Amino acid sequence: IGRMMGPVLNVWFYLEFGDEWDIGILKVIFSIGVSINCVSASMGLFFRPTKDESVNMIELVETHSEIDGDDTIKNENNNNKYWTVPWLILIGSLIAMIAAGTTSKFMPIFFMQDYSVSPVQLMPIYVFAPLGSAIGALFVPALASKIGRAKALILLALLVSVSLIVLTFGQDINLLFIAFFFRFVITNALDPLEKSILMEFAPQENRGKWGAVDSLISSFWSGSAIIGGYVSLTW
């Protein structure tokens, strides 16, 4: 709901300040958004763990360690046999993050320059996309249980590629909006599926390291936006 409320407020702001891609209007709206984010982030400074909570966390870790110990015995042979799976997941995630950084950050510019879409026309996609992601999060496990997680992952990745092809070569603005919406939804649905496969096939004693590398790779999409920015300015 929170992710939906931001674009809803943006619609009101744009209607109030002007429904156009003006740098002055954008600075005002960005400043309001950053201020709201600072207020929400500062609330975390008022939380302090209690002694009882620390004890409960220790007990929880010990309980999970006992359970994971059984899982390690059961999955040890599989982890040794399929040791390439975590590498394939991370390499694929790295490529996807680089591609996402060069494209997703500049979708509004694409719609603005090529199709003269106003901010208010674009915001409904960002309003309903979180809802679509929530529905997708319910649909993906059902799909994975029916055809398998690996096949579901490949199928969803192909759908993302199809949506990008439609965005590249499509001409109808409504079709482009639909492709952009489904690309957003499917991409968010892919992440939990990838992580579940990664954690299952990663060696038990090194799952923390694999998870840290996966988190690092997830940040690459911000850095690769430099490439997208250069391409946007050049072509």
Side-chain angles (χ1 to χ4, degrees):
I1 295 176
R3 293 181 64 184
M4 295 175 65
M5 288 305 300
V8 170
L9 289 175
N10 280 343
V11 171
W12 183 81
F13 289 144
Y14 281 118
L15 291 176
E16 184 71 18
F17 300 127
D19 185 18
E20 55 184 305
W21 300 100
D22 180 75
I23 188 63
I25 297 173
L26 293 176
K27 283 183 178 180
V28 172
I29 296 176
F30 288 166
S31 299
I32 294 173
V34 171
S35 300
I36 295 174
N37 187 65
C38 290
V39 172
S40 64
S42 63
M43 295 176 64
L45 300 174
F46 298 95
F47 290 93
R48 294 290 186 274
T50 63
K51 184 177 180 181
D52 293 337
E53 288 176 343
S54 300
V55 173
N56 291 335
M57 286 300 297
I58 294 175
E59 294 176 352
L60 181 63
V61 171
E62 291 176 350
T63 302
H64 279 287
S65 297
E66 294 176 1
I67 297 174
D68 290 340
D70 295 335
D71 291 339
T72 304
I73 296 174
K74 294 178 182 178
N75 296 329
E76 183 176 1
N77 293 331
N78 286 337
N79 288 340
N80 292 332
K81 184 178 179 181
Y82 301 108
W83 62 272
T84 57
V85 173
W87 287 100
L88 292 174
I89 292 292
L90 289 183
I91 292 173
S93 179
L94 174 62
I95 296 173
M97 287 298 103
I98 294 175
T102 58
T103 56
S104 59
K105 291 282 189 180
F106 304 95
M107 287 297 180
I109 298 178
F110 164 70
F111 285 113
M112 175 191 69
Q113 291 185 346
D114 290 18
Y115 294 92
S116 301
V117 174
S118 70
V120 173
Q121 289 176 317
L122 188 61
M123 283 302 107
I125 296 179
Y126 291 97
V127 171
F128 293 104
L131 179 60
S133 298
I135 296 174
L138 299 175
F139 169 75
V140 169
L143 177 65
S145 63
K146 187 172 183 179
I147 67 174
R149 285 180 298 173
K151 291 181 180 178
L153 183 63
I154 294 172
L155 176 61
L156 294 175
L158 288 175
L159 290 177
V160 171
S161 299
V162 170
S163 66
L164 288 174
I165 292 173
V166 172
L167 286 168
T168 303
F169 298 103
Q171 299 296 327
D172 183 71
I173 186 62
N174 295 318
L175 179 62
L176 296 179
F177 279 163
I178 294 173
F180 181 43
F181 175 82
F182 277 102
R183 180 211 163 274
F184 188 101
V185 171
I186 297 172
T187 301
N188 288 334
L190 277 172
D191 189 54
L193 192 58
E194 288 182 347
K195 282 182 168 54
S196 68
I197 297 176
L198 175 64
M199 289 298 105
E200 178 175 342
F201 288 93
Q204 175 71 25
E205 66 276 8
N206 293 324
R207 283 180 179 174
K209 296 179 181 178
W210 285 97
V213 174
D214 182 58
S215 299
L216 177 63
I217 288 176
S218 298
S219 66
F220 275 46
W221 80 294
S222 297
S224 63
I226 298 175
I227 302 174
Y230 174 77
V231 172
S232 298
L233 291 175
T234 304
W235 288 284

